[in-house]
Amino acid sequence: MDGNEELLTYIHQNAQMGVRTIEHLLTLVEEDRLTRQLRSQRDGYQHFQRRAKEQLRLLGRDQEGLSPLEKAKTYLMIQMDTLTDRSSAHIAEMLITGSNMGILDAAKRIRQYPHARGDVVALVKGLSAFEEDNVQKLKAFL
């Protein structure tokens, strides 16, 4: 895989993780304001997932989704983390932690592939900016 494919696969998998996580959390959230925020974030992740999928297709590559192990691991982590605390503040904190990890990972990956195409790097930076905006909006629930 070249840098462009690696970055696009990262975007696709990151966005897929965001969509799956939020869809699961939406079944647990009771506060309408947080539900609206999560739906908005899910829509944003779906946008990045579609864009990465389109770009991978143009490169003649199939998108690599999350492995069954990653899906199961994420589901179990959410279940365990919300077992005793399903408050809006706790859910917001979980999502902030995940978004911060995504922001750091995006920065590392951009540096890892200095020769990647500008449009691909811009998409990674767009995802990172989206994550930063999510963090700021979720702070209101802490």
Side-chain angles (χ1 to χ4, degrees):
M1 264 196 253
D2 68 6
N4 295 312
E5 188 177 347
E6 288 281 343
L7 289 173
L8 290 167
T9 298
Y10 160 73
I11 294 165
H12 184 268
Q13 290 177 344
N14 180 292
Q16 184 181 22
M17 179 72 73
V19 169
R20 290 183 63 83
T21 298
I22 289 172
E23 285 180 347
H24 184 77
L25 289 173
L26 281 168
T27 66
L28 306 174
V29 171
E30 296 178 4
E31 184 180 339
D32 288 341
R33 198 169 55 104
L34 182 56
T35 297
R36 286 191 302 276
Q37 178 60 38
L38 294 182
R39 286 182 179 149
S40 174
Q41 287 184 15
R42 180 195 56 203
D43 294 347
Y45 283 120
Q46 288 172 333
H47 165 78
F48 284 101
Q49 191 176 12
R50 279 191 305 273
R51 295 274 312 274
K53 185 177 181 176
E54 290 167 7
Q55 290 295 320
L56 283 164
R57 189 176 42 80
L58 291 173
L59 291 174
R61 305 283 192 233
D62 288 328
Q63 72 281 357
E64 291 182 27
L66 297 170
S67 71
L69 180 62
E70 281 296 317
K71 291 175 184 177
K73 182 178 149 187
T74 301
Y75 175 81
L76 289 173
M77 286 177 58
I78 292 170
Q79 287 297 104
M80 287 176 50
D81 214 11
T82 57
L83 194 59
T84 59
D85 188 356
R86 292 184 176 188
S87 69
S88 293
H90 182 66
I91 289 172
E93 183 179 350
M94 289 170 49
L95 289 167
I96 288 169
T97 299
S99 288
N100 281 329
M101 289 171 41
I103 293 163
L104 293 173
D105 199 23
K108 288 179 196 176
R109 289 177 186 263
I110 289 170
R111 279 193 305 281
Q112 186 178 0
Y113 300 106
H115 302 295
R117 289 190 338 232
D119 62 327
V120 174
V121 171
L123 193 58
V124 176
K125 288 181 177 179
L127 177 60
S128 183
F130 171 72
E131 297 269 22
E132 288 176 16
D133 186 54
N134 289 344
V135 167
Q136 293 309 312
K137 289 176 178 172
L138 288 166
K139 285 180 182 179
F141 297 95
L142 296 178

